[in-house]
Amino acid sequence: MKNIEILYEDDFSIIINKPAGLAVQGGKGVKNSLDKILAEIRNPPPLLVHRLDKDTSGLILAAKGKEAAARFSRLLGTERQAVKQYTAICAGRPEKKEGIINEDLIIRNSLKKSETRYKVLKSGKLDMTEFSVLELELGTGRTHQIRRHLAMNGNPILGDDKYGDFTLNKKLRKSAGLKRLLLHASRLVIKEINLDISAPPPEYFNGFLNNNLI
């Protein structure tokens, strides 16, 4: 799987639109991964600066060289110079049209402050069950943060087999063709270098929306 979609590249970085189902890093039981593909198509291999879940599609940045990797890690981490936006389709509708979920999350046996901003873009119904399309922005970058926060908020992401509504997911697999986690990293902004890259959600998002959200 060497035909990954490269959306941007310069002397210091490369930004990929990762497909759902592709692991970011290799490991036990992982036959293919993004870091392996990058090593095959670029020499020396770019270094991944942040992560996406295997089942999450969208934008991910890799740096060319250790110095660039350290710089981007600071910009995306401690210096908070980056904006990472996501698109998700969740069950139900949040109480407010836009807001902030501030729920501490347990990370490696320690409670960490976590913040996710959201905005409801549109909503609809299928068989009397309500769904919403959300735009989300990370205030912090905890493991599975968006998935966990939305589940805690009563609006689990459709297709989430770890934190979601398992009964609803099973129903939608049969009635609406739901096959994947409906979460996509849609926009990456790094203010210091005037970088602003967007990628629309995969076609299966549109297929679900066109069929089920009115």
Side-chain angles (χ1 to χ4, degrees):
M1 188 178 178
K2 295 183 180 180
N3 297 323
I4 57 173
E5 184 181 8
I6 296 173
L7 299 182
Y8 176 84
E9 185 170 7
D10 60 21
D11 292 339
F12 307 100
S13 65
I14 180 171
I15 298 178
I16 301 100
N17 188 12
K18 185 188 84 67
L22 177 65
V24 170
Q25 289 183 303
K28 186 177 180 180
V30 178
K31 294 182 179 180
N32 204 9
S33 60
L34 181 57
D35 59 352
K36 181 180 178 181
I37 294 172
L38 288 173
E40 292 174 351
I41 65 174
R42 293 291 186 275
N43 187 24
L47 305 172
L48 294 167
V49 176
H50 59 117
R51 307 286 184 265
L52 288 178
D53 298 340
K54 178 181 178 180
D55 295 326
T56 301
S57 60
L59 301 176
I60 189 164
L61 182 146
K64 295 182 177 180
K66 292 182 179 180
E67 186 175 336
R71 180 190 181 201
F72 284 120
S73 293
R74 289 195 302 271
L75 292 175
L76 271 67
T78 56
E79 294 184 12
R80 302 284 177 88
Q81 286 293 309
V83 175
K84 290 186 281 186
Q85 287 184 350
Y86 291 75
T87 301
I89 303 178
C90 70
R93 182 189 296 187
E95 186 175 333
K96 298 179 180 178
K97 187 172 179 59
E98 57 184 281
I100 299 175
I101 302 173
N102 284 305
E103 294 284 354
D104 293 351
L105 297 174
I106 297 175
I107 307 295
R108 299 186 185 91
N109 299 318
S110 179
L111 205 58
K112 301 289 186 181
K113 291 185 177 180
S114 306
E115 178 184 289
T116 302
R117 303 178 187 92
Y118 72 86
K119 179 189 296 184
V120 179
L121 300 181
K122 55 183 173 180
S123 298
K125 288 185 178 181
L126 172 66
D127 295 335
M128 304 305 293
T129 303
E130 193 168 35
F131 307 102
S132 298
V133 182
L134 305 182
E135 178 184 274
L136 303 120
E137 184 178 321
L138 291 176
T140 53
R142 310 302 184 192
T143 302
H144 297 168
Q145 178 176 313
I146 289 175
R147 296 166 65 180
R148 296 167 73 182
H149 265 175
L150 287 180
M152 293 166 75
N153 201 51
N155 305 109
I157 298 175
L158 299 184
D160 191 339
D161 290 331
K162 188 175 181 67
Y163 304 101
D165 185 327
F166 310 120
T167 301
L168 179 60
N169 288 338
K170 184 177 180 180
K171 172 186 174 184
L172 293 179
R173 276 195 289 270
K174 294 180 179 179
S175 65
L178 178 67
K179 296 179 180 179
R180 292 190 178 277
L181 174 72
L182 296 181
L183 176 63
H184 174 74
S186 54
R187 187 182 180 201
L188 177 63
V189 179
I190 302 179
K191 303 171 186 177
E192 184 175 289
I193 58 175
N194 296 317
L195 181 71
D196 189 342
I197 303 293
S198 297
E203 187 55 39
Y204 55 82
F205 270 69
N206 294 330
F208 185 87
L209 288 173
N210 292 338
N211 290 332
N212 304 309
L213 285 174
I214 57 175

